[in-house]
Amino acid sequence: MTDRITPPTAHHRSMLPLVLAALLISFGLTMFLFSAAYAKDLQTLARAPELVWGFICGRPSEFGPILPLLLTIGTLSLLGSVFALGWRWWRGRQAAG
């Protein structure tokens, strides 16, 4: 009897989006925590959408590019995690049906 390495099954491959989503969620929340610590007040955080839009349009702010960049990266990573979880859900429905 020989020991063979079996190829990964569909169950093992379905773990990749879950791990990716967990990593993206933790990264996104960390970026939001850093941006909240960088802003140091609630009034600046209330202006966050305005700061991010100004950053996208190329208008400089008093904080420079750091705060809008942290908020943008945090938002994109959370959206990526939603996409990874949605992909896992969709692939599960395809496999079941």
Side-chain angles (χ1 to χ4, degrees):
M1 179 160 44
T2 62
D3 292 331
R4 287 201 234 183
I5 298 174
T6 59
T9 62
H11 175 71
H12 290 106
R13 280 183 262 145
S14 70
M15 290 295 293
L16 180 64
L18 188 61
V19 170
L20 180 65
L23 289 173
L24 286 173
I25 287 172
S26 65
F27 182 73
L29 292 178
T30 303
M31 289 297 111
F32 281 129
L33 185 72
F34 282 153
S35 64
Y38 185 78
K40 296 181 185 169
D41 63 349
L42 293 177
Q43 185 179 12
T44 305
L45 287 178
R47 290 184 47 219
E50 173 189 339
L51 293 172
V52 170
W53 185 250
F55 173 71
I56 291 170
C57 293
R59 289 186 311 229
S61 71
E62 63 270 12
F63 295 102
I66 300 298
L67 183 61
L69 191 60
L70 287 172
L71 291 169
T72 303
I73 290 173
T75 302
L76 289 176
S77 66
L78 289 178
L79 287 174
S81 68
V82 168
F83 177 75
L85 288 174
W87 177 263
R88 183 173 187 264
W89 174 80
W90 184 74
R91 294 292 290 173
R93 284 186 53 112
Q94 294 293 325

XYZ file of all heavy atoms in Angstrom:
752
model
N 0.845 -1.157 0.000
C 0.000 0.000 0.000
C 0.905 1.239 0.000
O 1.791 1.371 0.807
C -0.879 -0.023 1.245
C -1.736 1.157 1.265
S -3.215 1.170 2.251
C -2.977 0.531 3.780
N 0.637 2.107 -0.937
C 1.440 3.324 -1.043
C 0.635 4.509 -0.538
O -0.585 4.565 -0.682
C 1.860 3.581 -2.503
O 0.687 3.768 -3.269
C 2.670 2.423 -3.044
N 1.334 5.424 0.049
C 0.693 6.656 0.508
C 0.779 7.691 -0.604
O 1.854 8.017 -1.074
C 1.389 7.206 1.760
C 1.170 6.300 2.957
O 0.128 5.626 2.988
O 2.038 6.278 3.845
N -0.375 8.152 -0.998
C -0.405 9.172 -2.037
C -0.957 10.470 -1.455
O -1.784 10.454 -0.562
C -1.305 8.745 -3.186
C -0.709 7.663 -4.027
C -1.381 7.700 -5.338
N -1.927 6.392 -5.654
C -2.529 6.128 -6.775
N -2.709 7.056 -7.656
N -2.981 4.928 -7.026
N -0.494 11.526 -2.053
C -1.037 12.821 -1.669
C -2.258 13.069 -2.528
O -2.187 13.046 -3.754
C 0.009 13.934 -1.872
C 1.226 13.678 -0.989
C -0.597 15.291 -1.581
C 2.353 14.640 -1.226
N -3.374 13.297 -1.867
C -4.607 13.528 -2.620
C -4.711 15.004 -2.982
O -4.286 15.872 -2.227
C -5.838 13.119 -1.789
O -5.847 13.889 -0.586
C -5.786 11.646 -1.450
N -5.249 15.295 -4.148
C -5.413 16.703 -4.544
C -6.445 17.384 -3.659
O -7.313 16.731 -3.084
C -5.882 16.616 -5.994
C -6.457 15.259 -6.130
C -5.732 14.374 -5.156
N -6.356 18.691 -3.539
C -7.335 19.400 -2.697
C -8.738 19.273 -3.268
O -8.948 19.328 -4.471
C -6.856 20.845 -2.714
C -5.905 20.957 -3.845
C -5.375 19.583 -4.117
N -9.662 19.075 -2.391
C -11.054 18.937 -2.824
C -11.695 20.313 -2.899
O -11.099 21.324 -2.551
C -11.833 18.063 -1.825
O -11.820 18.726 -0.554
C -11.208 16.688 -1.688
N -12.926 20.323 -3.337
C -13.660 21.580 -3.437
C -13.869 22.196 -2.064
O -13.909 23.409 -1.916
C -15.000 21.346 -4.124
N -13.960 21.351 -1.038
C -14.131 21.857 0.321
C -12.916 22.654 0.762
O -13.047 23.700 1.374
C -14.388 20.703 1.280
C -14.449 21.127 2.709
N -15.507 21.861 3.205
C -13.590 20.956 3.728
C -15.283 22.103 4.484
N -14.135 21.562 4.822
N -11.725 22.167 0.444
C -10.509 22.880 0.822
C -10.366 24.182 0.042
O -9.906 25.184 0.576
C -9.282 22.005 0.595
C -9.201 20.865 1.549
N -9.482 19.580 1.162
C -8.896 20.820 2.859
C -9.342 18.781 2.195
N -8.981 19.507 3.249
N -10.755 24.175 -1.208
C -10.653 25.383 -2.019
C -11.665 26.432 -1.589
O -11.458 27.612 -1.790
C -10.826 25.061 -3.491
C -9.541 24.509 -4.088
C -9.703 24.260 -5.537
N -9.991 22.828 -5.662
C -10.786 22.290 -6.547
N -11.372 23.021 -7.436
N -10.994 21.000 -6.577
N -12.777 26.016 -0.980
C -13.777 26.991 -0.553
C -13.327 27.751 0.692
O -13.950 28.729 1.078
C -15.115 26.312 -0.293
O -15.040 25.512 0.864
N -12.265 27.304 1.329
C -11.737 28.007 2.501
C -10.979 29.272 2.113
O -10.865 30.188 2.920
C -10.812 27.084 3.302
C -11.516 25.964 4.014
S -12.610 26.580 5.283
C -11.426 27.241 6.427
N -10.456 29.332 0.902
C -9.663 30.487 0.485
C -10.444 31.798 0.554
O -9.948 32.773 1.133
C -9.090 30.261 -0.908
C -8.231 31.389 -1.460
C -6.984 31.565 -0.604
C -7.873 31.124 -2.894
N -11.668 31.891 0.011
C -12.397 33.159 0.149
C -12.706 33.514 1.604
O -12.717 34.680 1.968
C -13.691 32.930 -0.634
C -13.388 31.826 -1.566
C -12.383 30.964 -0.876
N -12.934 32.515 2.435
C -13.224 32.771 3.840
C -12.001 33.344 4.558
O -12.109 34.307 5.314
C -13.693 31.487 4.513
C -14.211 31.619 5.932
C -15.421 32.536 5.953
C -14.562 30.256 6.477
N -10.842 32.774 4.296
C -9.603 33.278 4.896
C -9.293 34.672 4.360
O -8.909 35.572 5.112
C -8.446 32.296 4.626
C -7.111 32.886 5.025
C -8.686 30.987 5.358
N -9.474 34.867 3.057
C -9.242 36.174 2.460
C -10.176 37.221 3.052
O -9.750 38.339 3.369
C -9.435 36.097 0.939
C -9.226 37.380 0.173
C -7.778 37.827 0.266
C -9.637 37.199 -1.265
N -11.440 36.876 3.245
C -12.401 37.812 3.829
C -12.020 38.159 5.262
O -12.099 39.322 5.668
C -13.808 37.223 3.774
N -11.585 37.171 6.031
C -11.179 37.442 7.415
C -9.972 38.371 7.467
O -9.924 39.299 8.283
C -10.877 36.129 8.131
N -9.006 38.149 6.589
C -7.831 39.013 6.555
C -8.197 40.430 6.120
O -7.703 41.411 6.685
C -6.770 38.429 5.626
C -6.074 37.172 6.130
C -5.167 36.600 5.052
C -5.284 37.454 7.384
N -9.055 40.553 5.123
C -9.456 41.872 4.649
C -10.287 42.625 5.689
O -10.148 43.839 5.836
C -10.218 41.760 3.334
C -9.376 41.435 2.109
C -10.272 41.191 0.905
C -8.394 42.543 1.824
N -11.140 41.914 6.408
C -11.924 42.560 7.457
C -11.006 43.082 8.552
O -11.137 44.231 8.995
C -12.980 41.601 8.030
C -14.122 41.409 7.033
C -13.540 42.112 9.357
C -15.104 40.338 7.424
N -10.065 42.264 8.992
C -9.163 42.714 10.056
C -8.286 43.867 9.577
O -8.040 44.818 10.326
C -8.318 41.554 10.568
O -7.454 41.084 9.563
N -7.830 43.833 8.340
C -7.018 44.925 7.804
C -7.839 46.204 7.689
O -7.368 47.293 8.047
C -6.445 44.525 6.435
C -5.555 45.569 5.838
C -4.286 45.791 6.335
C -5.995 46.337 4.772
C -3.467 46.757 5.782
C -5.177 47.307 4.217
C -3.910 47.520 4.727
N -9.064 46.097 7.195
C -9.924 47.268 7.052
C -10.258 47.905 8.391
O -10.212 49.130 8.539
N -10.583 47.085 9.379
C -10.879 47.627 10.701
C -9.651 48.265 11.330
O -9.755 49.284 12.014
C -11.455 46.535 11.595
C -12.844 46.038 11.202
C -13.294 44.915 12.125
C -13.847 47.171 11.208
N -8.479 47.690 11.081
C -7.243 48.283 11.584
C -6.989 49.636 10.936
O -6.601 50.598 11.617
C -6.052 47.341 11.327
O -6.320 46.081 11.937
C -4.768 47.909 11.881
N -7.226 49.749 9.645
C -7.043 51.030 8.969
C -8.033 52.073 9.488
O -7.669 53.245 9.666
C -7.207 50.877 7.450
C -6.073 50.144 6.777
S -4.495 51.004 6.930
C -3.640 49.894 8.032
N -9.271 51.665 9.764
C -10.232 52.601 10.335
C -9.827 53.011 11.750
O -10.001 54.164 12.142
C -11.644 52.011 10.333
C -12.315 52.094 9.003
C -12.886 50.973 8.432
C -12.390 53.295 8.308
C -13.519 51.039 7.208
C -13.023 53.378 7.076
C -13.578 52.252 6.528
N -9.280 52.095 12.514
C -8.804 52.419 13.860
C -7.636 53.396 13.796
O -7.588 54.370 14.560
C -8.398 51.141 14.596
C -8.002 51.310 16.046
C -9.243 51.610 16.878
C -7.330 50.067 16.549
N -6.704 53.165 12.876
C -5.586 54.090 12.704
C -6.066 55.464 12.247
O -5.542 56.488 12.687
C -4.562 53.549 11.707
C -3.653 52.506 12.268
C -3.100 51.559 11.437
C -3.337 52.470 13.606
C -2.245 50.587 11.930
C -2.485 51.507 14.121
C -1.938 50.564 13.288
N -7.051 55.503 11.357
C -7.549 56.802 10.897
C -8.263 57.539 12.024
O -8.155 58.764 12.125
C -8.454 56.638 9.683
O -9.606 55.896 10.017
N -8.980 56.817 12.887
C -9.624 57.459 14.029
C -8.582 57.985 15.011
O -8.740 59.074 15.574
C -10.555 56.475 14.729
N -7.507 57.250 15.214
C -6.440 57.719 16.096
C -5.697 58.897 15.479
O -5.253 59.797 16.193
C -5.469 56.581 16.380
N -5.572 58.920 14.179
C -4.872 60.007 13.495
C -5.698 61.292 13.525
O -5.158 62.385 13.670
C -4.559 59.605 12.058
C -3.731 60.608 11.316
C -2.360 60.688 11.518
C -4.306 61.489 10.410
C -1.585 61.611 10.844
C -3.546 62.420 9.736
C -2.186 62.472 9.952
O -1.425 63.393 9.291
N -7.014 61.170 13.386
C -7.871 62.348 13.338
C -7.981 63.027 14.699
O -8.030 64.241 14.791
C -9.255 61.966 12.828
N -8.043 62.259 15.756
C -8.057 62.726 17.138
C -9.302 63.497 17.564
O -9.383 63.922 18.693
C -6.823 63.578 17.442
C -5.534 62.840 17.339
C -4.384 63.742 17.668
C -3.087 63.001 17.438
N -1.942 63.870 17.477
N -10.268 63.721 16.702
C -11.513 64.347 17.138
C -12.669 63.904 16.240
O -12.478 63.475 15.108
C -11.404 65.865 17.184
C -11.152 66.498 15.828
O -10.855 65.770 14.882
O -11.250 67.728 15.729
N -13.864 64.016 16.775
C -15.046 63.545 16.053
C -15.439 64.470 14.913
O -16.031 64.027 13.932
C -16.218 63.378 17.022
C -16.038 62.266 18.058
C -17.231 62.242 19.000
C -15.886 60.935 17.369
N -15.130 65.752 15.015
C -15.483 66.683 13.949
C -14.728 66.335 12.658
O -15.283 66.404 11.570
C -15.164 68.112 14.378
C -15.614 69.152 13.374
C -15.299 70.556 13.858
O -14.556 70.744 14.814
N -15.879 71.532 13.195
N -13.477 65.964 12.798
C -12.695 65.567 11.618
C -13.244 64.277 11.026
O -13.329 64.136 9.807
C -11.214 65.396 11.992
O -10.762 66.600 12.600
C -10.374 65.088 10.781
N -13.617 63.325 11.882
C -14.198 62.076 11.372
C -15.554 62.321 10.720
O -15.937 61.609 9.795
C -14.314 61.051 12.488
C -12.991 60.434 12.940
C -13.231 59.474 14.089
C -12.297 59.742 11.800
N -16.294 63.324 11.192
C -17.569 63.649 10.556
C -17.343 64.220 9.155
O -18.203 64.080 8.285
C -18.343 64.646 11.411
N -16.188 64.815 8.931
C -15.843 65.356 7.610
C -15.162 64.316 6.718
O -14.676 64.649 5.640
C -14.895 66.541 7.773
C -15.525 67.761 8.373
C -14.567 68.932 8.424
N -13.864 69.104 7.160
C -12.569 69.442 7.071
N -11.855 69.613 8.145
N -11.994 69.598 5.901
N -15.115 63.077 7.147
C -14.388 62.031 6.415
C -14.837 61.892 4.961
O -13.978 61.834 4.070
C -14.497 60.705 7.138
N -16.128 61.846 4.656
C -16.508 61.733 3.233
C -16.007 62.911 2.399
O -15.552 62.731 1.269
C -18.030 61.688 3.267
C -18.379 61.213 4.621
C -17.306 61.745 5.520
N -16.062 64.116 2.976
C -15.567 65.294 2.269
C -14.056 65.208 2.041
O -13.558 65.538 0.958
C -15.891 66.536 3.101
C -15.305 67.816 2.591
C -15.485 68.947 3.589
O -16.373 68.854 4.473
O -14.729 69.916 3.492
N -13.323 64.719 3.034
C -11.870 64.587 2.908
C -11.492 63.546 1.858
O -10.564 63.737 1.075
C -11.247 64.239 4.253
C -11.316 65.318 5.337
C -10.833 64.763 6.664
C -10.516 66.533 4.930
N -12.219 62.428 1.854
C -11.926 61.375 0.884
C -12.248 61.860 -0.532
O -11.476 61.636 -1.462
C -12.700 60.077 1.220
C -12.601 59.066 0.099
C -12.181 59.474 2.518
N -13.379 62.547 -0.701
C -13.735 63.044 -2.021
C -12.726 64.077 -2.498
O -12.339 64.091 -3.665
C -15.138 63.618 -2.012
C -15.591 64.022 -3.374
C -15.777 65.282 -3.837
C -15.877 63.148 -4.466
N -16.176 65.251 -5.154
C -16.241 63.948 -5.564
C -15.861 61.766 -4.621
C -16.592 63.423 -6.788
C -16.212 61.235 -5.849
C -16.569 62.057 -6.911
N -12.280 64.939 -1.602
C -11.248 65.905 -1.959
C -9.943 65.221 -2.342
O -9.237 65.653 -3.258
N -9.613 64.132 -1.652
C -8.414 63.360 -1.977
C -8.531 62.746 -3.367
O -7.587 62.778 -4.156
C -8.204 62.281 -0.922
C -7.103 61.317 -1.230
C -5.783 61.714 -1.169
C -7.383 60.003 -1.572
C -4.756 60.831 -1.439
C -6.370 59.118 -1.850
C -5.056 59.530 -1.779
N -9.701 62.210 -3.692
C -9.911 61.600 -5.007
C -9.833 62.658 -6.102
O -9.263 62.418 -7.175
C -11.264 60.855 -5.044
C -11.197 59.624 -4.139
C -11.636 60.448 -6.455
C -12.527 58.950 -3.916
N -10.384 63.844 -5.831
C -10.388 64.919 -6.817
C -9.065 65.675 -6.885
O -8.883 66.518 -7.759
C -11.509 65.900 -6.515
S -13.137 65.193 -6.743
N -8.169 65.424 -5.949
C -6.870 66.073 -5.985
C -6.794 67.375 -5.214
O -5.824 68.118 -5.357
N -7.805 67.677 -4.401
C -7.768 68.883 -3.568
C -7.046 68.569 -2.269
O -7.442 67.646 -1.551
C -9.178 69.365 -3.254
C -9.896 69.954 -4.436
C -11.208 70.529 -4.002
N -11.930 69.537 -3.187
C -13.186 69.197 -3.369
N -13.888 69.761 -4.316
N -13.759 68.306 -2.608
N -6.028 69.311 -1.919
C -5.311 69.029 -0.671
C -6.144 69.430 0.548
O -6.967 70.329 0.487
C -4.057 69.893 -0.778
C -4.406 70.965 -1.729
C -5.432 70.405 -2.665
N -5.924 68.728 1.645
C -6.591 69.064 2.902
C -5.525 69.411 3.938
O -4.327 69.249 3.694
C -7.447 67.890 3.390
O -6.626 66.838 3.834
N -5.985 69.870 5.096
C -5.036 70.247 6.131
C -4.309 69.048 6.724
O -3.267 69.195 7.356
C -5.735 71.041 7.241
C -6.790 70.272 7.990
C -8.184 70.372 7.385
O -8.326 70.853 6.247
O -9.127 69.934 8.055
N -4.832 67.847 6.539
C -4.198 66.641 7.050
C -3.247 66.009 6.044
O -2.588 65.036 6.352
C -5.260 65.607 7.438
C -6.117 66.045 8.569
C -7.388 66.516 8.339
C -5.646 66.009 9.867
C -8.183 66.927 9.372
C -6.435 66.413 10.915
C -7.714 66.877 10.665
N -3.228 66.530 4.841
C -2.430 65.903 3.803
C -3.146 64.658 3.299
O -4.347 64.466 3.526
N -2.441 63.777 2.646
C -3.099 62.600 2.076
C -3.262 61.439 3.052
O -3.886 60.443 2.709
C -2.158 62.205 0.937
C -0.819 62.630 1.416
C -1.062 63.911 2.185
N -2.741 61.560 4.278
C -2.721 60.403 5.181
C -4.120 59.959 5.591
O -4.486 58.788 5.433
C -1.867 60.710 6.434
C -0.444 61.038 6.047
C -1.907 59.544 7.417
C 0.283 59.920 5.366
N -4.925 60.847 6.156
C -6.241 60.461 6.641
C -7.149 59.966 5.519
O -7.754 58.891 5.649
C -6.886 61.620 7.410
C -8.246 61.310 8.037
C -8.115 60.178 9.045
C -8.817 62.546 8.686
N -7.267 60.673 4.392
C -8.112 60.134 3.316
C -7.596 58.808 2.761
O -8.386 57.933 2.397
C -8.080 61.214 2.239
C -7.707 62.456 2.936
C -6.835 62.036 4.076
N -6.281 58.647 2.728
C -5.725 57.397 2.228
C -6.035 56.237 3.167
O -6.409 55.143 2.715
C -4.215 57.541 2.037
C -3.502 56.436 1.282
C -4.075 56.303 -0.120
C -2.021 56.720 1.211
N -5.924 56.453 4.473
C -6.282 55.413 5.438
C -7.755 55.042 5.323
O -8.107 53.855 5.354
C -5.978 55.877 6.861
C -4.525 55.937 7.289
C -4.402 56.599 8.657
C -3.917 54.555 7.321
N -8.611 56.044 5.185
C -10.038 55.767 5.060
C -10.365 55.047 3.756
O -11.199 54.136 3.729
C -10.825 57.071 5.160
C -10.818 57.740 6.537
C -11.394 59.136 6.448
C -11.567 56.905 7.541
N -9.706 55.441 2.673
C -9.953 54.793 1.382
C -9.484 53.339 1.395
O -10.203 52.443 0.936
C -9.249 55.571 0.261
O -9.709 56.920 0.274
C -9.535 54.956 -1.095
N -8.304 53.092 1.937
C -7.789 51.719 2.006
C -8.673 50.866 2.906
O -8.974 49.703 2.582
C -6.329 51.720 2.477
C -5.429 52.299 1.395
C -5.869 50.323 2.853
C -4.001 52.505 1.836
N -9.120 51.415 4.021
C -10.012 50.668 4.910
C -11.322 50.320 4.235
O -11.819 49.196 4.343
N -11.894 51.281 3.513
C -13.150 51.035 2.811
C -12.983 49.991 1.712
O -13.814 49.083 1.575
C -13.687 52.344 2.212
O -13.859 53.302 3.261
C -15.004 52.127 1.500
N -11.911 50.107 0.941
C -11.684 49.138 -0.140
C -11.453 47.731 0.396
O -11.912 46.751 -0.204
C -10.512 49.584 -1.012
C -10.768 50.802 -1.886
C -9.503 51.200 -2.630
C -11.900 50.542 -2.853
N -10.759 47.606 1.514
C -10.535 46.266 2.050
C -11.827 45.673 2.598
O -12.067 44.462 2.452
C -9.442 46.283 3.120
O -9.856 47.017 4.232
N -12.680 46.488 3.215
C -13.964 45.963 3.674
C -14.865 45.587 2.505
O -15.569 44.574 2.555
C -14.656 46.967 4.586
C -14.019 47.136 5.973
C -14.762 48.194 6.768
C -14.004 45.834 6.729
N -14.837 46.379 1.434
C -15.596 46.004 0.239
C -15.049 44.727 -0.395
O -15.807 43.895 -0.898
C -15.585 47.143 -0.776
C -16.447 48.355 -0.436
C -16.230 49.458 -1.460
C -17.903 47.969 -0.364
N -13.729 44.562 -0.363
C -13.127 43.323 -0.856
C -13.546 42.120 -0.043
O -13.761 41.028 -0.591
N -13.683 42.297 1.266
C -14.126 41.175 2.097
C -15.579 40.821 1.809
O -15.942 39.646 1.785
C -13.941 41.499 3.579
O -14.828 42.514 3.981
N -16.409 41.827 1.554
C -17.801 41.560 1.179
C -17.833 40.808 -0.152
O -18.609 39.854 -0.325
C -18.607 42.873 1.105
C -19.950 42.671 0.439
C -18.784 43.455 2.496
N -16.990 41.206 -1.087
C -16.917 40.510 -2.374
C -16.468 39.059 -2.188
O -17.027 38.150 -2.802
C -15.967 41.243 -3.316
C -15.777 40.554 -4.630
C -16.766 40.600 -5.591
C -14.624 39.837 -4.891
C -16.605 39.946 -6.797
C -14.453 39.182 -6.094
C -15.447 39.232 -7.052
N -15.457 38.823 -1.333
C -14.965 37.456 -1.107
C -16.039 36.590 -0.456
O -16.214 35.422 -0.836
C -13.706 37.479 -0.248
N -16.766 37.144 0.506
C -17.847 36.372 1.128
C -18.994 36.125 0.153
O -19.599 35.049 0.148
C -18.349 37.088 2.376
C -17.406 37.069 3.572
C -17.963 37.934 4.688
C -17.155 35.653 4.051
N -19.286 37.121 -0.676
C -20.319 36.933 -1.700
C -19.919 35.889 -2.726
O -20.745 35.091 -3.173
N -18.658 35.880 -3.096
C -18.144 34.874 -4.037
C -18.278 33.478 -3.437
O -18.703 32.547 -4.109
C -16.692 35.184 -4.369
C -16.059 34.170 -5.259
C -15.273 33.125 -4.872
C -16.167 34.081 -6.673
N -14.887 32.400 -5.967
C -15.422 32.969 -7.085
C -16.822 34.849 -7.620
C -15.316 32.608 -8.417
C -16.709 34.471 -8.940
C -15.965 33.367 -9.327
N -17.922 33.338 -2.155
C -18.028 32.034 -1.482
C -19.485 31.590 -1.425
O -19.796 30.431 -1.674
C -17.443 32.137 -0.086
C -17.435 30.830 0.644
C -16.694 30.961 1.966
N -16.534 29.692 2.598
C -17.356 29.227 3.546
N -18.348 29.952 3.961
N -17.149 28.036 4.071
N -20.389 32.518 -1.105
C -21.806 32.185 -1.045
C -22.329 31.768 -2.427
O -23.052 30.784 -2.555
C -22.587 33.391 -0.517
C -24.062 33.215 -0.546
C -24.820 32.527 0.351
C -24.957 33.721 -1.531
N -26.145 32.584 -0.019
C -26.252 33.313 -1.168
C -24.787 34.494 -2.676
C -27.361 33.644 -1.926
C -25.899 34.823 -3.419
C -27.171 34.399 -3.036
N -21.939 32.519 -3.461
C -22.394 32.217 -4.815
C -21.861 30.869 -5.285
O -22.592 30.090 -5.899
C -21.952 33.335 -5.754
C -22.445 33.157 -7.156
C -23.707 33.333 -7.612
C -21.662 32.752 -8.270
N -23.770 33.072 -8.949
C -22.526 32.714 -9.385
C -20.325 32.429 -8.439
C -22.076 32.352 -10.634
C -19.888 32.078 -9.691
C -20.764 32.038 -10.782
N -20.589 30.589 -5.016
C -20.019 29.298 -5.421
C -20.667 28.143 -4.654
O -20.853 27.059 -5.210
C -18.508 29.289 -5.177
C -17.728 30.259 -6.037
C -17.729 29.867 -7.469
N -16.934 28.673 -7.629
C -16.834 27.981 -8.744
N -17.470 28.388 -9.812
N -16.097 26.911 -8.802
N -21.030 28.377 -3.398
C -21.739 27.349 -2.633
C -23.101 27.059 -3.192
O -23.539 25.904 -3.224
N -23.781 28.084 -3.643
C -25.100 27.876 -4.261
C -24.977 27.153 -5.589
O -25.828 26.348 -5.954
C -25.811 29.199 -4.466
C -26.376 29.759 -3.176
C -27.181 30.988 -3.451
N -28.205 30.759 -4.461
C -29.506 30.766 -4.252
N -29.941 30.987 -3.045
N -30.352 30.562 -5.234
N -23.909 27.447 -6.350
C -23.696 26.790 -7.636
C -23.402 25.298 -7.424
O -23.852 24.456 -8.198
C -22.548 27.439 -8.397
C -22.826 28.864 -8.819
C -23.932 28.928 -9.856
O -24.063 28.065 -10.693
N -24.735 29.977 -9.773
N -22.616 24.992 -6.407
C -22.263 23.600 -6.128
C -23.444 22.806 -5.596
O -23.592 21.624 -5.891
C -21.097 23.538 -5.141
N -24.315 23.475 -4.813
C -25.468 22.786 -4.238
C -26.573 22.579 -5.278
O -27.333 21.629 -5.190
C -26.019 23.581 -3.060
N -26.655 23.467 -6.225
C -27.771 23.395 -7.178
C -27.380 22.787 -8.438
O -27.614 21.951 -9.124
